[in-house]
Amino acid sequence: MTDSPAAAASAEETASGFGAHALPLIRLWGMMDEAHRKRGLVLLSFVALAGLVESLGLGLLLPFVGFLQDPGLIHRQKVFQAAYDLLGCGSERGFILACGVGLLVFYAGKNVVLYLVQKAQFRFIYDLQIELADRLLQVYIYAPYPFHLGSNSAKLQNNVLEALNCCNLYLAPLLTLISETTVAASIVAFMLYLNPVSTLAALAATGGVSAVLVRYYRRSLKASDHDRHIFTEGMIRSMQEALGGVK
């Protein structure tokens, strides 16, 4: 092990990064290697694609419900009439049946796509957790001896645990947010096309309520995260002292 100032600075910087406040997304991105960054960008695109597929499923379901309620809708819309002529079903009942079978096939394929995206998402998060925790542990192992003399081992262990948790605290919610935002944006765009005034009014009302709730809960969540970190560090310290006392 080396006692160089650079090694000590590196260890202290890493410890502060996993300190009382969990890693923000920008710092998490900066700690990824090139391979994980490329995988992350590809995964983001697939998550957005999954959101579009989910939106398409909602868009296809609405006309089908309309056909069931009013079969005459098929002939009143040019797009539906064109599809009716193209399929050559011969009757409204046959066309509705064909649409139902098509919906079943589409939703089966959609579920397969969502399953594959979720599988890739969890694999990426768990691989990143292992990579970050392993890198942090190596920094601590090869840190100079004076660094360990001035550091609490319970805090260092807690920092390694924080490295495992940071992906679940930040990255997993981000991927979920991208998927849900894609679906919501598609629905809002469709509603704006149908009734812009009512949609804008609803967005203003829900946006105002959401802003108040976010501001209200942000402080409590930040305080809870700080308390969680302190509690975990104290728990590890207590276990170390108890087991050390037995020895």
Side-chain angles (χ1 to χ4, degrees):
M1 293 186 184
T2 177
D3 292 344
S4 65
S10 175
E12 290 174 0
E13 180 182 359
T14 308
S16 63
F18 289 92
H21 301 288
L23 285 177
L25 288 172
I26 296 178
R27 188 173 178 83
L28 181 61
W29 174 262
M31 293 190 67
M32 293 183 190
D33 56 20
E34 191 65 24
H36 279 95
R37 289 183 180 180
K38 291 180 180 179
R39 285 181 60 188
L41 292 176
V42 172
L43 181 60
L44 286 177
S45 62
F46 277 108
V47 169
L49 178 62
L52 290 176
V53 172
E54 190 76 31
S55 303
L56 182 60
L58 294 175
L60 293 177
L61 185 62
L62 294 177
F64 181 72
V65 174
F67 296 157
L68 294 177
Q69 294 177 343
D70 182 13
L73 181 63
I74 300 172
H75 305 289
R76 292 197 297 269
Q77 297 289 337
K78 294 182 179 179
V79 176
F80 301 150
Q81 181 64 48
Y84 179 84
D85 296 335
L86 180 64
L87 292 177
C89 297
S91 66
E92 296 173 349
R93 180 184 179 87
F95 179 76
I96 295 175
L97 180 61
C99 290
V101 174
L103 273 179
L104 289 176
V105 174
F106 173 81
Y107 271 87
K110 178 187 73 101
N111 290 334
V112 172
V113 171
L114 295 179
Y115 165 75
L116 294 176
V117 172
Q118 285 286 328
K119 182 179 179 180
Q121 175 179 331
F122 285 117
R123 177 175 294 178
F124 172 77
I125 292 175
Y126 292 144
D127 288 347
L128 184 59
Q129 284 179 328
I130 295 173
E131 197 269 338
L132 290 179
D134 181 69
R135 186 190 304 177
L136 181 61
L137 186 60
Q138 288 187 29
V139 169
Y140 287 155
I141 290 176
Y142 292 103
Y145 186 67
F147 169 78
H148 292 281
L149 291 179
S151 301
N152 191 308
S153 58
K155 182 177 181 180
L156 299 184
Q157 292 183 38
N158 186 48
N159 290 342
V160 176
L161 295 178
E162 289 293 324
L164 296 175
N165 294 330
C166 68
C167 296
N168 290 327
L169 292 174
Y170 291 98
L171 191 56
L174 173 65
L175 296 175
T176 302
L177 178 64
I178 292 175
S179 178
E180 298 298 332
T181 301
T182 304
V183 176
S186 302
I187 295 175
V188 169
F190 181 70
M191 293 176 62
L192 285 172
Y193 174 76
L194 294 178
N195 195 334
V197 177
S198 299
T199 302
L200 291 176
L203 286 176
T206 56
V209 174
S210 300
V212 172
L213 291 176
V214 169
R215 187 171 182 179
Y216 175 76
Y217 284 110
R218 179 178 295 176
R219 258 182 221 175
S220 60
L221 290 175
K222 187 175 181 180
S224 298
D225 180 69
H226 178 75
D227 293 341
R228 179 189 61 83
H229 178 87
I230 299 299
F231 173 78
T232 304
E233 183 177 326
M235 179 184 65
I236 295 175
R237 185 185 302 111
S238 299
M239 288 191 298
Q240 286 183 338
E241 293 173 351
L243 295 176
V246 173
K247 290 183 179 179

